[in-house]
Amino acid sequence: MSTYALTTLARTTDPKTMLRRFLALDAVVTGANGIAYAAVSGPIGRLLGVDSGLLLWLGVALTLYAAGVGFLASRKSPPAPAVQAVVEANAAWAVLSVVALAAWLSPSAAGAVWIPLQAVIVGAFAVVQYAALRATRT
C-alpha cells in the first residue's frame, strides 16, 4: 500500500498518528461487533445461522480484544511488537473466518454474506495497520 493511500485514509502524514488512528478504528469496529455478539447472540445467531453460544463466546473475546487494541491506540507510541501481534491476529481472524465458512459452518444467506464481509474488513485492518507500522520504522 502506498504512503499516499495511507495518508489519505488516515488523514495525516505522521506515521504514529496514522497507526494510532487505524488501531482506534479497529478497536471501535471490533468492540461494537463484540458487544453486539455478546448482548444479542440469540437473535444474531438466528439471523446468521450460527450457534448463539459460539457468538456469545466470540462476543466476549472480541470485546476484550478491542479493549486491548484501544489501549494500544491510546499510547503516544504503540510498541511495535504489540502492533505486530494485532496485525497477525487480524490476519488470522480473516483467514479462519473463511476456513470456518468452508469447513464447518452452515450459515443462512445473511451469514454467508456477513462472514466473508467481516473477514475482508478485518483483513483490511491488518493491511493498513501493517503498512502504518512499517511507515513508523522508516
Side-chain angles (χ1 to χ4, degrees), residues 31-43:
N33 198 33
I35 290 168
Y37 282 1
V40 287
S41 58

Side-chain angles (χ1 to χ4, degrees), residues 1 3-12 18 21-22 25 124 128:
M1 176 166 271
T3 303
Y4 176 76
L6 282 176
T7 58
T8 301
L9 283 171
R11 300 188 186 274
T12 182
M18 185 183 315
R21 286 182 181 173
F22 290 140
L25 181 59
V128 296

Side-chain angles (χ1 to χ4, degrees), residues 9-77:
L9 283 171
R11 300 188 186 274
T12 182
T13 57
D14 177 52
K16 286 182 184 176
T17 302
M18 185 183 315
L19 178 59
R20 292 175 62 224
R21 286 182 181 173
F22 290 140
L23 289 169
L25 181 59
D26 184 359
V28 168
V29 170
T30 302
N33 198 33
I35 290 168
Y37 282 1
V40 287
S41 58
I44 292 175
R46 286 188 294 280
L47 174 68
L48 300 178
V50 176
D51 179 67
S52 62
L54 173 63
L55 284 181
L56 176 60
W57 181 86
L58 287 173
V60 171
L62 287 172
T63 302
L64 294 172
Y65 175 77
V69 175
F71 174 74
L72 281 178
S74 74
R75 306 287 305 261
K76 185 175 181 176
S77 184

